[in-house]
Amino acid sequence: MSPLQHTGALDRSSRIMRFALKYYRAGVFDSAVGRMRPGERERAAAFADDIEKLGPTFVKIGQLLSTRTDLVAPAYLEALERMQDDVQPLPFAELKPVLEASLGVRLSKAFAAFDEQPLGSASLAQVHRAALHDGREVAVKIQRPGVAELIRADISVLDRFARGADRFTSIGQRMRFAEIVAEMQRTLLAELDYVDEAESLERFRERLAVYPELLVPAPIWDYTSRHVLTMEYVPGTKVTDIGGLRRTEHAYGPVATALLKGYLDQVFVHGEIHADPHPGNVLLTDDDRIALLDFGMVAHVPPRQRERLLKLVLAAVDGRGEDVAAESMAISARLEGFDEARYVHEVSQLVARYAVRSERAGLSEGRLLLELARIGTACRLRLPAATTLLGKTMLNLEAVAGALEPGLDVKAAVEDHAYRIMRERLRSSLSPQRLGMEALETQQLLRAAPRKVSDILSLVADNKLRVRLAGLEESHLMESLQKIANRISTGVITASLVVGAAMLARVDTPHTLFGYPAFALVLFLLAAALGVTLVVSALLSDRKVRPREERGPLD
């Protein structure tokens, strides 16, 4: 690293440090606090402004934090949701080298026409309209130069800060900032890989083909790389810009219902959540179809976790609050001090309000999931990130559906399709292939059981049955016991040296240092060094016991 680069890195670290110290005690992560404190809305707006000033890494982090109702206080969530990822576009001359280097050809050879004025400009990329030599119109997404290196450097700084906060602060021990930063790092680095986004486009396009009302643009693979994504250009109107006259001339209820069904399929059948279907990424095409854009943020849900989430949603639409609490606890981590009785009670009350659909309560499917995560945090239960992500996605879908068909009964559509998914899953579990596999596993178990039982009985009869507890010698208990023994030994030696030095100081000797007996002074200095080392070691390496965490069987 050159001296100039090193100076820039230090300046960047100091800016991030000043930002962290400024909002350390601002209550950003007090999600369990229900009421708004005086001046908090203004502090939250300043927080969002400062995040934008720190650049693309923190803009994306702000977007990710806006989905975490279980972590971030309501006022800060509102401010982060209003934060716009819309920045001043770069001159195309700065993007052209990235485009040509990524595709390996000159611009004129790759495209018949290229509009240098961007369709949109965000913190990570710009999108331009172009035409291929075969006449197809495309949209070209080009990553801003140097943004990947900046994100990696910023994440590295944040990781150091997070580990320090986790070790030395109470809020860090409660929030586990290092885990949050690691999760954000995975998400951001995945979003920087446009090959991954192109694969997501292709998967969603194939899976949603069963819904003719929906459209996902196809990626153009010959013009796609890690830093450039080329896809079909889809002309259309943002759903929030649909005029009243067009809405009265067309019935968009079936289109909105198809959108909800398609997303429910993605989550509960295929295990993927398109995390950013907000109205700005959803277009109504000229032939009255819904076009879905921007698949940079796609979260994956493991099979058994998605089954639990499906049961949770079905229990919620049925108004079974205790079942919702049970399913959510099964996929969550129980932190030390978890109040199960309070959690079950508050979740039951929440689901009861949702079941009656009080308009004043403002509850919806997405809001219920987000409130569920907030209650979990207040009761010391950490729900998986997929819960809040699904809740945020559902809220965005409800906004899109409301823009298309204001009178649509979203609850009925979700309930009907969720039960259909459950029926399909039960039907597939009774298929000949699935039953054959289970029968084969049962046969293997029954064939091996007599021999295993015989082996156990033989060991019992010969008094040779032993239970071995492995790993104790590598456990934290043995490490702690050794540390205690070493501290006690060092303390005893230090005390002995001090006593010995005091006794020798009374002995007359011709060998002196600074007017004191030399040998006694050496022993005293040695004792002082050991004592200081012992205290420093205790302050730096000893920490409070990490809060106990019990994970559900499927987490």
Side-chain angles (χ1 to χ4, degrees), residues 69 312-313 315-317 319 324 347 349-355 357 362-375 383 387 391 394-395 398:
T69 57
L312 189 154
V313 171
V317 297
V324 172
V347 169
Q349 294 294 318
L350 173 69
V351 175
R353 294 197 305 272
Y354 165 76
R357 288 307 295 266
L363 283 175
S364 63
E365 290 71 21
R367 179 62 60 190
L368 181 138
L369 289 171
L370 297 179
E371 282 295 304
L372 192 67
R374 186 193 62 77
I375 293 172
L383 275 74
T387 307
M394 290 297 296
L395 271 185
E398 290 158 11

Side-chain angles (χ1 to χ4, degrees), residues 204 207-208 210-211 214-216 255-278 281-282 290-295 297-298 389-390 392-394 396-398 400 414 417 421:
F204 276 74
R207 292 168 180 172
L208 294 176
V210 296
Y211 297 100
L214 306 181
L215 170 66
V216 177
V255 178
T257 302
L259 179 66
L260 291 171
K261 289 180 177 179
Y263 269 86
L264 290 173
D265 283 348
Q266 292 305 310
V267 177
F268 297 120
V269 177
H270 305 295
E272 289 190 316
I273 302 177
H274 176 204
D276 206 19
H278 63 77
N281 287 336
V282 181
I290 288 292
L292 304 171
L293 311 175
D294 194 357
F295 284 78
M297 293 175 60
V298 175
L389 203 55
L390 178 58
K392 188 70 174 179
T393 300
M394 290 297 296
N396 286 330
L397 290 176
E398 290 158 11
V400 173
V414 170
H417 198 63
I421 293 173

Side-chain angles (χ1 to χ4, degrees), residues 475-493 534 537-538 541-543 545:
S475 69
H476 291 293
L477 175 62
M478 292 300 299
E479 181 181 349
S480 299
L481 289 175
Q482 290 176 355
K483 183 182 290 186
I484 291 170
N486 291 337
R487 295 281 173 80
I488 292 174
S489 301
T490 305
V492 170
I493 293 172
L534 188 62
S537 173
S541 63
D542 290 1
R543 59 180 182 269
V545 177

Side-chain angles (χ1 to χ4, degrees), residues 34-165:
R35 58 185 176 82
M36 193 83 68
R37 289 170 293 196
E40 189 168 26
R41 200 178 298 276
E42 291 74 17
R43 289 194 299 271
F47 175 76
D49 291 341
D50 287 343
I51 278 187
E52 288 182 333
K53 292 175 184 176
L54 282 172
T57 306
F58 286 83
V59 169
K60 301 306 294 185
I61 287 175
Q63 290 180 334
L64 293 173
L65 286 176
S66 70
T67 68
R68 299 302 300 269
T69 57
D70 57 326
L71 299 178
V72 182
Y76 291 88
L77 279 174
E78 292 177 11
L80 292 173
E81 287 170 353
R82 292 194 299 268
M83 189 175 64
Q84 298 295 316
D85 189 11
D86 187 10
V87 300
Q88 186 70 24
L90 283 176
F92 181 69
E94 297 183 31
L95 292 173
K96 185 177 179 181
V98 177
L99 177 63
E100 293 183 337
S102 297
L103 299 183
V105 294
R106 295 194 308 275
L107 179 67
S108 58
K109 191 172 183 62
F111 301 98
F114 196 97
D115 187 357
E116 295 187 3
Q117 293 299 317
L119 293 171
S121 178
S123 56
L124 300 186
Q126 284 184 196
V127 180
H128 292 257
R129 187 174 177 178
L132 302 180
H133 288 289
D134 59 8
R136 287 180 293 172
E137 285 193 283
V138 295
V140 185
K141 183 177 180 179
I142 310 170
Q143 192 172 115
R144 287 174 173 254
V147 72
E149 293 76 10
L150 176 62
I151 286 179
R152 289 189 178 91
D154 285 349
I155 289 293
S156 177
V157 174
L158 281 176
D159 183 63
R160 292 198 300 272
F161 290 166
R163 291 180 186 279

Side-chain angles (χ1 to χ4, degrees), residues 234-247:
V234 180
T237 305
K238 290 184 179 180
V239 293
T240 51
D241 296 335
I242 302 174
L245 180 61
R246 184 175 181 181
R247 189 180 286 109

Side-chain angles (χ1 to χ4, degrees), residues 353-553:
R353 294 197 305 272
Y354 165 76
V356 299
R357 288 307 295 266
S358 168
E359 293 298 327
R360 285 178 300 175
L363 283 175
S364 63
E365 290 71 21
R367 179 62 60 190
L368 181 138
L369 289 171
L370 297 179
E371 282 295 304
L372 192 67
R374 186 193 62 77
I375 293 172
T377 301
C379 297
R380 304 291 294 160
L381 182 76
R382 179 177 294 163
L383 275 74
T387 307
T388 54
L389 203 55
L390 178 58
K392 188 70 174 179
T393 300
M394 290 297 296
L395 271 185
N396 286 330
L397 290 176
E398 290 158 11
V400 173
L404 290 168
E405 186 67 28
L408 180 67
D409 189 346
V410 176
K411 179 183 177 182
V414 170
E415 181 177 8
D416 178 70
H417 198 63
Y419 272 112
R420 191 191 69 80
I421 293 173
M422 181 63 78
R423 289 193 297 270
E424 290 292 332
R425 183 162 294 172
L426 289 174
R427 190 178 296 116
S428 67
S429 67
L430 297 175
S431 64
Q433 296 88 346
R434 183 71 62 84
L435 292 175
M437 289 296 297
E438 291 180 356
L440 182 60
E441 292 177 1
T442 303
Q443 180 192 31
Q444 292 174 346
L445 176 63
L446 293 175
R447 289 180 61 183
R451 179 176 58 82
K452 293 184 180 295
V453 171
S454 176
D455 292 342
I456 293 173
L457 291 176
S458 297
L459 291 171
V460 172
D462 296 338
N463 197 24
K464 294 181 179 179
L465 184 64
R466 290 188 177 91
V467 178
R468 179 179 298 173
L469 184 62
L472 182 60
E473 62 277 3
E474 292 92 11
S475 69
H476 291 293
L477 175 62
M478 292 300 299
E479 181 181 349
S480 299
L481 289 175
Q482 290 176 355
K483 183 182 290 186
I484 291 170
N486 291 337
R487 295 281 173 80
I488 292 174
S489 301
T490 305
V492 170
I493 293 172
T494 303
S496 301
L497 289 173
V498 171
V499 172
M503 295 177 66
L504 288 173
R506 304 171 68 92
V507 178
D508 293 331
T509 175
H511 305 290
T512 60
L513 285 174
F514 308 110
Y516 297 98
F519 192 57
L521 185 59
V522 169
L523 291 181
F524 180 77
L525 293 175
L526 182 58
L530 286 175
V532 170
T533 302
L534 188 62
V535 172
V536 171
S537 173
L539 291 175
L540 294 180
S541 63
D542 290 1
R543 59 180 182 269
K544 294 180 180 179
V545 177
R546 206 174 185 185
R548 187 168 54 89
E549 181 176 303
E550 295 179 7
R551 296 191 177 270

